[in-house]
Amino acid sequence: MHRGSKPAVVRRNGIELDTGDVPYLLDPARTVEGAVNVISHAHSDHLPRGGRETRVVSTDKTIELASHRTGRRFTGISAPGVSLLGAGHIPGSAMALIEDGKRVLYTGDFCTRRKLYLEPAKPVRTDILITEATYGRPEYVFPDAVELSGVIRDWVSDAVSSSIPVFFVVYPLGKAQEIETVLRGLPLFADEDVQAHNRLVFGGCDDWIGSIQEAKDAGSVFICSSRRSLAAVPGAIRRRLLFATVSGWAVAPGFKNAGGFDEAFPLSDHCDYNDLIDFVRKCNPSHVYTVHGFTESLAASIADELGIEAEPLKRHASGRKRGQRRIDTYP
Ligand SMILES: [Zn+2]
Ligand SMILES: [Zn+2]
């Protein structure tokens, strides 16, 4: 990359970064041989669905989880100038810092909040920042995660001691393990999907969580990825049960009722609006691209509040920019 010039960044096959030398594909939908393929974390919208290349730049944990979730065998490799930094989003999640003339930081999904089970993401100085914008509007501000964890634990403990079972419906990777960590010591039972992810995340040390069929007492807590798993809960226990979930969207009024939950806690694995603005300020980039979520709104806020050039990274509809190599057919 030439000093002073801005690298070409487009959204097409994931995020394509062309520094003039090696093409970098960040969370590509299809991996490409000859490119540096980076997988930030193992949530399905960030995993490659195709492509022949199985050697990817990713953390060991993400390699394991990605292989389990896609049924493909990925191998982790390193690439010169690419560093993986903890993203604090889910186990294995990483931000990618690419140093090729200019410094480019891709956050993937990230979280800078202190939590019970993951180290938070830390800002680093960068020239170009490509940041997610999931909660990039000012109304999305979350309470302190550790304090909220205490509130959740108290609410569940009260139900359990009154012999009322609690049924959490949560995403099986990340949310499930976070809520299990928050509720550790209570009688926890998970469905098969969550158990399969538990084994990988906790490295086999998940014997403190039973399977649904093992629940005997009404004071039980179920951690499941779908309401369909309710069918496996023993009938005698199923009657008085409370439904709960955790999600950043729970700060929106109406979320709880729309989802049919008795309680919804705004525990998120993403940054809230203030965290995003604070992170951008500390990275102090000269240019920001926003991706995923409230991209327009966050870019406008970054420009207004921080005086930093920012724009949503638009999807590249077809073809290529003049003079730009077509990197999806790179040798
Ligand atoms: Zn994610
Ligand atoms: Zn995502």
Side-chain angles (χ1 to χ4, degrees):
M1 188 189 319
H2 305 292
R3 282 197 175 278
S5 68
K6 215 160 61 167
V9 185
V10 294
R11 260 185 80 204
R12 184 167 36 196
N13 180 14
I15 295 164
E16 300 182 0
L17 168 67
D18 194 348
T19 63
D21 199 4
V22 193
Y24 298 90
L25 301 181
L26 310 173
D27 291 336
R30 302 176 317 283
T31 55
V32 174
E33 288 169 293
V36 176
N37 297 272
V38 179
I39 303 180
S40 66
H41 66 291
H43 275 157
S44 40
D45 54 325
H46 295 257
L47 288 177
R49 289 181 291 278
R52 296 237 303 274
E53 183 61 86
T54 52
R55 292 166 305 163
V56 295
V57 179
S58 201
T59 63
D60 292 348
K61 190 60 90 185
T62 295
I63 294 287
E64 250 186 286
L65 288 162
S67 301
H68 166 77
R69 306 198 91 206
T70 61
R72 299 172 67 190
R73 283 217 72 76
F74 291 103
T75 311
I77 54 165
S78 55
V82 182
S83 336
L84 297 175
L85 312 170
H89 171 60
I90 60 164
S93 64
M95 308 189 288
L97 179 66
I98 296 147
E99 295 173 270
D100 187 352
K102 282 203 185 310
R103 286 160 72 90
V104 180
L105 179 68
Y106 169 56
T107 64
D109 290 345
F110 76 117
C111 182
T112 54
R113 317 188 133 234
R114 196 164 59 90
K115 289 177 166 257
L116 292 181
Y117 89 128
L118 267 186
E119 285 296 310
K122 303 239 163 51
V124 288
R125 267 285 300 126
T126 187
D127 299 305
I128 310 287
L129 175 65
I130 306 167
T131 179
E132 61 127 322
T134 306
Y135 294 110
R137 281 169 66 141
E139 59 265 40
Y140 290 98
V141 173
F142 307 142
D144 179 85
V146 174
E147 271 174 41
L148 180 60
S149 298
V151 170
I152 297 171
R153 198 183 160 87
D154 288 349
W155 182 81
V156 176
S157 302
D158 280 354
V160 165
S161 57
S162 311
S163 296
I164 299 172
V166 179
F167 190 96
F168 275 93
V169 184
V170 287
Y171 198 83
L173 172 57
K175 287 277 167 52
Q177 291 75 37
E178 179 165 24
I179 201 71
E180 285 159 354
T181 306
V182 167
L183 301 177
R184 189 165 183 156
L186 295 172
L188 303 183
F189 303 92
D191 67 9
E192 274 176 36
D193 191 16
V194 170
Q195 282 188 305
H197 287 90
N198 284 346
R199 278 191 284 278
L200 295 169
V201 169
F202 296 125
C205 305
D206 60 330
D207 53 359
W208 45 287
I209 304 158
S211 60
I212 295 189
Q213 296 79 3
E214 291 169 342
K216 296 200 170 53
D217 201 89
S220 296
V221 184
F222 301 96
I223 315 291
C224 299
S225 65
S226 159
R227 278 177 201 249
R228 286 195 295 275
S229 299
L230 189 60
V233 173
I237 300 179
R238 217 182 297 159
R239 250 165 273 142
R240 291 175 62 202
L241 160 145
L242 294 173
F243 280 104
T245 194
V246 292
S247 169
W249 301 112
V251 296
F255 174 87
K256 185 174 92 172
N257 292 339
F261 294 108
D262 296 291
E263 202 53 84
F265 300 98
L267 188 67
S268 177
D269 38 26
H270 291 263
C271 288
D272 72 4
Y273 173 80
N274 292 337
D275 300 332
L276 287 167
I277 293 290
D278 191 51
F279 186 82
V280 175
R281 180 188 293 113
K282 288 175 177 155
C283 292
N284 195 24
S286 54
H287 197 91
V288 180
Y289 293 102
T290 54
V291 287
H292 309 305
F294 296 121
T295 52
E296 298 277 353
S297 164
L298 182 64
S301 295
I302 290 168
D304 288 351
E305 288 190 34
L306 306 175
I308 295 173
E309 271 179 29
E311 61 182 303
L313 188 56
K314 291 259 164 58
R315 184 170 290 284
H316 208 264
S318 62
R320 71 202 96 146
K321 280 187 185 161
R322 196 185 290 272
Q324 189 186 342
R325 191 173 48 218
R326 215 181 121 73
I327 63 179
D328 49 356
T329 53
Y330 196 80

